[in-house]
Amino acid sequence: MHVKNLLSLKNKVILITGGAGLYGSSMLEALAEADGKVITASRSLENAKTIVDEMKSRGLDVHAKYVDQADHASIIRLKDEIQAEFGGLDIFINNAVARPMRKYTDPLEAFAESMRVNATGMFDITREMADLIAKRGGGTIINIASMQGMFGADFKLYEGTEMDSPPDYHFHKGGMIALTKYLARKLAPQKIRVNCISPGGLFSNQPEPFLSRYKNKVPLGRMAGTDDIKGLIVFLASDASSYINGENILMDGGLHA
Ligand SMILES: NC(=O)c1ccc[n+]([C@@H]2O[C@H](COP(=O)([O-])OP(=O)(O)OC[C@H]3O[C@@H](n4cnc5c(N)ncnc54)[C@H](O)[C@@H]3O)[C@@H](O)[C@H]2O)c1
């Protein structure tokens, strides 16, 4: 097959959670630019609608839905809506994240709330969407983890700022990478490939001195930009990666090379 056809997402129905976020909106745009029919679902429906309306005005086939991935009934409602309106699902991008814990010293309740959304809820929505994909005869799931799920934080980067790298985040992102490998084997008989992307930090006007310190550590000399994940997400979603299964791709500009 021609490589342009391998990379095309034409006739594919794609769900991305949290598609109004920073990395999420880049991936939403990329998947639609590759000709996919892309639904974003998140807890902030108004933000999702604003982004979707802007992309629709550029001719992209994008749709906004509500989901709270910590609420099983809400996941089932979304699943039913996708089946009824789009006839099923081919590709699921597990991107939403909640950040109730900000610091190591935050109360345990914040850690538990993080697990409710980012561990239990994340597994719940993945299992339900995998079921939709299986009914359609197969497809692919891509988990968006983080380099923080693979490596410990360099706390010196945050000195003199309000920033920190909270422990719940390392815990559930590490779990997501392990779950990727589990699901790659579990779902392969249903013709579902499962892969993971572990991005590095995305530039979003972080304060100095964090920014200079971080850039100095990265061999490419910069934080990730919004275009950096676009090719990778389309590649993993498409048939161009049809023999890649259970892989975790680190995208950090060489920070951990
Ligand atoms: N921004 C970075 O530097 C960075 C670096 C590495 C990895 N990541 C990962 O990339 C992904 C996207 O990150 P981002 O910074 O763009 O995220 P973000 O914080 O900008 O957006 C997160 C999205 O998740 C949604 N969300 C939160 N709780 C939800 C719930 N209970 N149900 C449904 N939706 C919910 C929010 O509405 C929002 O749209 C995340 O998985 C994140 O961990 C981000």
Side-chain angles (χ1 to χ4, degrees), residues 13 15 72 75-83 87-92 94 122-141 183 186-194:
V13 180
L15 171 66
H72 183 68
I75 292 171
I76 297 301
R77 261 196 309 278
L78 175 66
K79 187 180 175 186
D80 291 345
E81 282 170 19
I82 292 174
Q83 182 62 49
L89 187 68
D90 300 292
I91 297 161
F92 173 51
N94 219 342
M122 184 275 290
F123 174 66
D124 188 7
I125 194 166
T126 304
R127 188 166 60 176
E128 295 303 334
M129 294 309 150
D131 182 50
L132 263 191
I133 297 172
K135 286 196 176 108
R136 193 116 137 149
T140 185
I141 295 173
L183 293 175
K186 189 76 182 165
L187 301 177
Q190 290 156 286
K191 297 191 167 51
I192 301 176
R193 295 186 295 118
V194 187

Side-chain angles (χ1 to χ4, degrees), residues 17-25 27 40-45 47 66-71 94-99 102 113 116-118 125 143-148 169 172-173 176 197-204 206 223-224 229:
T17 55
L22 294 168
Y23 267 128
S25 51
M27 289 188 275
T40 175
S42 79
R43 228 170 21 174
S44 43
L45 183 60
N47 291 351
Y66 173 82
V67 76
D68 177 357
Q69 76 174 34
D71 173 8
N94 219 342
N95 169 70
V97 73
R99 304 176 195 269
R102 291 282 164 188
E113 172 60 13
R116 203 170 72 86
V117 181
N118 300 314
I125 194 166
N143 293 325
I144 308 302
S146 167
M147 65 178 183
Q148 310 286 58
Y169 192 77
H172 66 73
K173 290 300 184 186
M176 190 182 227
I197 299 175
S198 288
L202 178 66
F203 176 73
S204 58
Q206 286 89 345
M223 296 197 77
I229 203 166

Side-chain angles (χ1 to χ4, degrees), residues 207-226:
E208 290 291 352
F210 167 84
L211 208 50
S212 313
R213 287 184 195 140
Y214 189 96
K215 287 198 250 180
N216 281 339
K217 279 193 77 177
V218 180
L220 290 180
R222 62 175 179 86
M223 296 197 77
T226 47

